[in-house]
């Protein structure tokens, strides 16, 4: 069955991520915590993958490795044709800067800083981008997340949903090959969660490749593929040929009246 | 990552915390301001000492009876009688000696009618004026003839005139008494004011040395010889020639010690310079310590700042900042604080220096080098004390940093 799935995906696009037999062990005192115990999969351009699992199943550990923040204890990781294990610390930083967009659970915006400046931040670490281009791209990214009216608002003057939108714009601004979101809706109420999910679906429709980590099983219906982890292993990896529309779900939700 | 972006990031981070930034700077500001002020005062007093010494005649050579200083204890030369008039006469033919005068001195009461004034009469010859850079303002100097005749004539300094002739009458031609001896005032010296050691240089009475020796002190030795070298650079050589002449006159055998001591103004000026140098060093040390304290303040605040901004550092790393970028950012923040503090400190130091002259009337001199050095020290302080916190920041693990609460 897996082979059939692979063939369908190949038609969708080229390989962005390939991991093979990924293991990650943590030494805690005398014990070894095996957070990942041999994970293998391939993600192709244009996929919207949700990764699910209970707390402690290794989702964040996996995402940190995919995001080049961490290196596996063993196994292979190829990102956009590049082998990540063989990279130096600096090389990985540059790779994060050019190829990856991160969205965190707690937004992680710079305090007392405008939305525009927050979104410009990744481009500040890319010397090839001029000040003018940086600004244009940041404005475009903010437009893409629907915050064109709020580019000069400070991060602490915005609601959680708006802050997460800024964070998503920041993840988009460097035109990454993949967007990695770790519990991106974890801090938000249901309504706002669905509006953020809607945004991710829109980005996906426009061609972004997304990995969306969540412990909420409901959200699997809204992605094109769902991987479930348990105790550091993949237990299911299923294609969802007809994802639900988050927009419709959002509109169906009762509006806040108070 | 280019420098402009780095500066932008650092400025932004600093402007998010203006008050703390200013308080951190304060240490540097005070440090630099005190360095500038202290060095200006030190340099100022050095200048004024130098000016006064050159006014007194920088090529002056003084010869006194007795041994040179030995083992830190200078032996009293008051009751030594090793210098004679012949010695002084012999010195006038020594090459390199421009002028030479014997010196004897007697303290006593000067009397003019109802006015009394205790002072000292210096017995000298007419060369003395050249040697000490003195000038007769009114009247005239005594002549060689007066010296030969031990004439009872004298020249008064301004302080003496003010005390003996408080009503302002012209003292020239008047007869005053020194003890029991009547002396005719034939001239008044131009005022020189107080010297750098606070001595009144106008509290002086000059008379022919013969008069003081024979009529006042009744002695046949002299208490000292003042000479001047033809030029300042020649002083050393002239001193050694004088030494040779005096040793042979005194029949001092090879290996024996001199029975006289020679001091030059140059030596004196070196001594005074080293004293004021020591003062300057001391002041600079105090100022330097406050700069050090300022630097430690920077380090302290930078450490706090790194801990406080751990999440921010983690985020920056997650979106692609390399270790070097984080290091540079914190280093630049430290340097901005220290250099801005330095600039404000320099301005404040100049202001304080100006106040010192305006209020206390101390001589001051701000040297460009002290400004330059302060600036350099500030930058180095920033880099030095910013280094460890910055390195700590750049070595953070991005995953842990971004989870930090
Ligand atoms: N830095 C670490 N040191 C030690 N153990 C860790 C570390 N990071 C994660 N773990 C452990 O690895 C397992 C997986 O963690 P994580 O990937 O955060 O799970 P999830 O994100 O699915 O909740 C957990 O048992 C966790 O305690
Ligand atoms: Mg997690």
């Amino acid at each position: 069955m897996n082979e059939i799935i692979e063939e369908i995906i190949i038609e969708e696009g080229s390989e962005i991520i390939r991991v093979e037999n990924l293991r990650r062990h943590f030494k805690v005192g005398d014990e070894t915590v095996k957070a990942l115990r041999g994970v293998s999969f391939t993600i192709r351009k244009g996929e919207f993958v949700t990764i699910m699992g209970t707390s402690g199943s290794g989702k964040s550990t996996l995402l940190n490795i995919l995001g080049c923040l961490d290196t596996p204890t063993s196994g292979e990781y190829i990102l956009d044709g590049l082998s990540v294990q063989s990279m130096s610390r600096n090389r990985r930083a540059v790779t994060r800067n050019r190829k990856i967009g991160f969205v965190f659970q707690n937004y992680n915006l710079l305090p007392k800083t405008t939305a525009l400046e927050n979104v410009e931040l990744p481009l500040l670490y890319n010397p090839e981008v001029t000040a003018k281009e940086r600004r244009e791209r940041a404005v475009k990214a903010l437009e893409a997340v629907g915050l064109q009216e709020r580019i000069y608002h400070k991060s602490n003057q915005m609601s959680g949903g708006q802050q997460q939108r800024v964070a998503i714009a920041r993840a988009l601004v460097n035109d990454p090959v993949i967007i990695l979101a770790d519990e991106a809706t974890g801090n938000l109420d249901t309504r706002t969660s669905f509006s953020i999910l809607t945004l991710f679906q829109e980005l996906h429709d426009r061609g972004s490749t997304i990995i969306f980590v969540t412990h909420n099983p409901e959200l699997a219906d809204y992605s094109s593929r769902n991987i479930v982890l348990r105790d550091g292993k993949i237990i299911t990896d299923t294609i969802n040929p007809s994802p639900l529309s988050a927009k419709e779900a959002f509109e169906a939700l009762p509006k806040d009246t108070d | 990552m280019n420098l402009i972006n780095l500066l932008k990031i650092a400025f932004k981070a600093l402007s998010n915390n203006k008050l703390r930034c200013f308080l951190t700077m304060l240490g540097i500001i005070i440090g630099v301001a005190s360095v500038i002020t202290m060095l200006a005062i030190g340099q100022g007093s050095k200048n004024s000492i130098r000016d006064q010494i050159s006014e007194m005649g920088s090529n002056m050579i003084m010869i006194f009876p007795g041994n040179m200083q030995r083992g830190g204890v200078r032996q009293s030369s008051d009751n030594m009688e090793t210098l004679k008039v012949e010695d002084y006469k012999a010195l006038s033919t020594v090459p390199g000696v421009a002028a030479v005068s014997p010196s004897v001195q007697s303290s006593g009461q000067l009397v003019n009618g109802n006015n009394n004034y205790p002072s000292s009469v210096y017995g000298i010859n007419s060369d003395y004026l050249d040697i000490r850079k003195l000038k007769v303002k009114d009247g005239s100097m005594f002549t060689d003839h007066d010296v030969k005749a031990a004439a009872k004539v004298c020249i008064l300094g301004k302080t003496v005139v003010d005390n003996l002739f408080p009503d302002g009458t012209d003292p020239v031609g008047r007869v005053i008494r020194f003890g029991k001896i009547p002396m005719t005032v034939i001239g008044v010296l131009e005022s020189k004011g107080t010297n750098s050691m606070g001595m009144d240089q106008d509290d002086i009475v000059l008379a022919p040395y013969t008069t003081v020796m024979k009529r006042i002190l009744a002695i046949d030795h002299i208490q000292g010889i003042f000479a001047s070298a033809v030029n300042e650079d020649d002083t050393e050589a002239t001193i050694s020639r004088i030494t040779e002449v005096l040793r042979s006159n005194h029949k001092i055998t090879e290996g024996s010690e001199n029975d006289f001591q020679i001091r030059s103004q140059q030596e004196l000026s070196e001594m005074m310079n080293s004293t004021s140098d020591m003062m300057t060093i001391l002041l600079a040390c105090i100022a330097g310590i406050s700069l050090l304290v300022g630097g430690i303040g920077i380090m302290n605040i930078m450490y706090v700042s790194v801990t406080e901004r751990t999440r921010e550092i983690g985020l920056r790393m997650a979106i692609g900042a390399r270790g070097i970028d984080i290091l540079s950012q914190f280093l630049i923040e430290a340097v901005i604080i220290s250099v801005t503090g330095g600039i404000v400190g320099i301005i404040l130091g100049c202001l304080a220096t100006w106040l010192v002259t305006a209020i206390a009337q101390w001589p001051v001199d701000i040297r460009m080098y002290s400004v330059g050095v302060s600036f350099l020290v500030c930058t180095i302080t920033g880099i030095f004390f910013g280094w460890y916190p910055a390195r700590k920041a750049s070595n953070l693990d991005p995953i842990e940093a971004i989870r930090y609460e």
Side-chain angles (χ1 to χ4, degrees):
Chain A
M1 184 184 158
N2 261 350
E3 277 170 14
I4 303 166
I5 294 165
E6 290 243 303
E7 271 167 25
I8 298 166
I9 299 163
I10 287 166
E11 283 164 19
E12 283 193 8
S14 58
E15 192 177 284
I16 300 281
I17 281 175
R18 194 175 84 232
V19 293
E20 257 159 46
N21 204 17
L22 219 53
R23 291 172 192 276
R24 181 68 169 102
H25 298 172
F26 293 105
K27 275 232 152 30
V28 183
D30 292 340
E31 277 176 63
T32 304
V33 179
K34 295 181 174 173
L36 295 178
R37 307 160 182 248
V39 172
S40 307
F41 57 80
T42 301
I43 291 173
R44 293 177 185 281
K45 188 164 167 43
E47 282 195 276
F48 182 175
V49 183
T50 43
I51 296 181
M52 301 204 171
T54 52
S55 181
S57 55
K59 307 182 296 292
S60 296
T61 305
L62 176 60
L63 205 72
N64 287 337
I65 292 172
L66 297 182
C68 306
L69 284 168
D70 196 7
T71 43
T73 310
S74 68
E76 210 181 337
Y77 173 25
I78 308 289
L79 170 68
D80 203 24
L82 302 169
S83 169
V84 177
Q85 292 87 314
S86 58
M87 287 182 185
S88 66
R89 194 171 184 243
N90 279 348
R91 195 62 230 155
R92 276 190 282 129
V94 175
T95 306
R96 290 196 291 273
N97 186 248
R98 309 297 148 81
K99 296 197 180 294
I100 290 166
F102 271 110
V103 182
F104 302 95
Q105 181 171 358
N106 42 20
Y107 330 131
N108 278 311
L109 300 183
L110 295 187
K112 301 184 203 170
T113 306
T114 63
L116 185 66
E117 284 171 310
N118 266 295
V119 175
E120 280 185 337
L121 201 61
L123 301 181
L124 273 177
Y125 292 99
N126 183 349
E128 284 155 29
V129 179
T130 63
K132 184 165 169 279
E133 192 189 344
R134 185 166 66 225
R135 204 195 135 89
E136 283 168 4
R137 282 168 69 170
V139 170
K140 240 177 76 191
L142 280 163
E143 279 167 4
V145 300
L147 286 180
Q148 57 275 15
E149 313 281 295
R150 294 197 159 74
I151 60 173
Y152 294 116
H153 284 219
K154 297 246 167 100
S155 47
N156 38 321
Q157 301 165 341
M158 287 188 275
S159 70
Q162 286 167 345
Q163 288 190 53
Q164 195 58 299
R165 276 170 194 273
V166 176
I168 293 167
R170 184 180 62 196
L172 285 177
V173 78
N174 58 342
D175 218 356
V177 295
I178 187 140
I179 296 172
L180 303 175
D182 192 353
E183 309 273 10
T185 57
N187 279 8
L188 302 171
D189 59 74
T190 313
R191 227 184 122 72
T192 319
S193 291
F194 272 97
S195 80
I196 293 296
L197 199 58
T198 307
L199 176 57
F200 275 106
Q201 280 192 339
E202 281 169 16
L203 298 176
H204 176 232
D205 291 343
R206 276 183 249 150
S208 292
T209 313
I210 299 165
I211 297 181
F212 190 101
V213 164
T214 176
H215 64 269
N216 183 357
E218 267 180 63
L219 301 185
D221 297 337
Y222 299 89
S223 66
S224 66
R225 176 176 171 190
N226 186 36
I227 294 175
V228 181
L229 285 182
R230 185 191 291 162
D231 298 332
K233 280 192 200 137
I234 295 180
I235 52 168
T236 59
D237 181 352
T238 48
I239 293 287
N240 181 2
S242 50
L244 297 180
S245 161
K247 191 163 191 238
E248 282 169 18
F250 173 71
E251 279 158 2
L253 283 171
K255 288 205 173 85
D256 281 342
T257 41
D258 50 346
Chain B
M1 154 153 240
N2 61 40
L3 193 64
I4 296 169
N5 289 0
L6 266 176
L7 283 172
K8 227 175 138 152
I9 290 170
F11 266 114
K12 179 75 201 168
L14 289 176
S15 71
N16 275 353
N17 237 320
K18 290 193 196 69
L19 181 66
R20 171 189 291 182
C21 189
F22 170 72
L23 290 175
T24 313
M25 245 178 236
L26 211 55
I28 294 289
I29 292 174
I30 292 169
V32 170
S34 50
V35 167
I36 297 276
T37 315
M38 298 296 179
L39 287 180
I41 291 171
Q43 187 63 44
S45 73
K46 209 164 146 179
N47 288 357
S48 83
I49 288 169
R50 193 197 53 219
D51 291 350
Q52 259 154 357
I53 283 174
S54 79
E55 217 175 290
M56 271 160 65
S58 54
N59 43 3
M60 187 165 77
I61 298 165
M62 292 158 283
I63 303 151
F64 299 107
N67 283 340
M68 294 295 275
Q69 190 172 323
R70 295 187 65 195
V73 181
R74 191 183 300 166
Q75 293 157 4
S76 166
S77 59
D78 289 356
N79 37 24
M80 295 200 179
E81 303 179 0
T82 52
L83 289 179
K84 306 282 182 212
V85 175
E86 295 82 65
D87 290 327
Y88 134 67
K89 288 196 168 137
L91 293 189
S92 56
T93 59
V94 171
V97 173
V100 58
S101 165
S103 159
V104 284
Q105 183 214 340
S106 174
S107 301
Q109 200 74 8
L110 288 162
V111 183
N112 172 38
N114 292 330
N115 299 308
N116 279 275
Y117 185 65
S119 189
S120 291
V121 174
Y122 292 86
I124 43 88
N125 73 7
S126 52
D127 273 2
Y128 189 76
L129 294 187
D130 276 345
I131 298 166
R132 298 302 300 265
K133 301 256 163 26
L134 297 169
K135 271 203 190 74
V136 175
K137 188 180 68 176
D138 299 323
S140 59
M141 186 58 185
F142 48 77
T143 59
D144 287 350
H145 181 74
D146 290 331
V147 172
K148 260 186 205 129
K152 291 183 265 187
V153 293
C154 66
I155 318 273
L156 304 184
K158 186 174 173 296
T159 306
V160 180
V161 172
D162 290 346
N163 282 285
L164 292 184
F165 301 93
D167 52 354
T169 48
D170 183 5
V172 177
R174 306 288 289 269
V175 177
I176 59 167
R177 275 192 299 115
F178 179 74
K180 293 194 175 68
I181 299 152
M183 298 178 102
T184 308
V185 180
I186 58 166
V188 174
L189 291 171
E190 210 166 73
S191 170
K192 287 194 90 172
T194 47
N195 71 7
S196 49
M197 288 169 293
M199 263 158 52
D200 183 1
Q201 300 181 92
D202 296 329
D203 189 0
I204 186 177
V205 177
L206 302 180
Y209 68 96
T210 46
T211 313
V212 177
M213 280 171 74
K214 286 176 192 155
R215 298 189 196 276
I216 300 176
L217 294 172
I219 53 174
D220 63 356
H221 65 275
I222 55 177
Q223 292 162 342
I225 300 171
F226 285 82
S228 65
V230 174
N231 64 57
E232 202 180 328
D233 300 332
D234 205 26
T235 312
E236 285 301 310
T238 309
I239 286 175
S240 58
R241 282 195 289 270
I242 289 174
T243 309
E244 237 167 80
V245 170
L246 289 180
R247 280 177 74 92
S248 89
N249 274 11
H250 293 188
K251 304 192 170 62
I252 298 170
T253 54
E254 194 115 352
S256 302
E257 281 186 47
N258 294 340
D259 58 357
F260 55 88
Q261 42 178 319
I262 302 185
R263 302 228 162 273
S264 68
Q265 196 69 277
Q266 212 180 18
E267 213 179 301
L268 187 73
S269 91
E270 269 159 25
M271 203 177 75
M272 305 257 274
N273 267 346
S274 76
T275 320
S276 77
D277 275 350
M278 234 168 67
M279 266 271 289
T280 310
I281 289 169
L282 202 77
L283 294 175
C285 278
I286 295 169
I289 287 168
S290 62
L291 204 57
L292 184 78
V293 171
I296 293 170
I298 291 189
M299 182 140 99
N300 192 8
I301 293 295
M302 291 306 289
Y303 264 123
V304 172
S305 170
V306 167
T307 308
E308 235 184 40
R309 286 155 65 191
T310 299
R311 279 258 299 270
E312 175 197 322
I313 295 162
L315 170 82
R316 287 181 187 275
M317 287 176 158
I319 60 170
R322 292 165 303 164
I324 181 90
D325 296 325
I326 301 292
L327 183 93
S328 318
Q329 179 190 336
F330 280 88
L331 219 49
I332 284 175
E333 283 183 28
V335 170
I336 288 173
I337 289 178
S338 64
V339 166
T340 312
I343 292 171
V344 176
I346 286 169
I347 294 169
L348 227 68
C350 292
L351 230 85
T353 305
W354 177 78
L355 275 178
V356 164
T357 3
I359 294 169
Q361 253 113 48
W362 286 358
V364 293
D365 182 8
I366 298 177
R367 285 292 172 95
M368 245 2 255
Y369 86 85
S370 69
V371 173
V373 165
S374 301
F375 197 78
L376 210 74
V377 166
C378 280
T379 316
I380 293 169
T381 303
I383 294 173
F384 185 81
F385 289 103
W387 176 261
Y388 283 96
R391 229 196 36 183
K392 185 188 169 198
S394 70
N395 283 340
L396 286 175
D397 174 24
I399 301 168
E400 278 168 24
I402 208 155
R403 280 213 213 109
Y404 185 87
E405 295 297 333

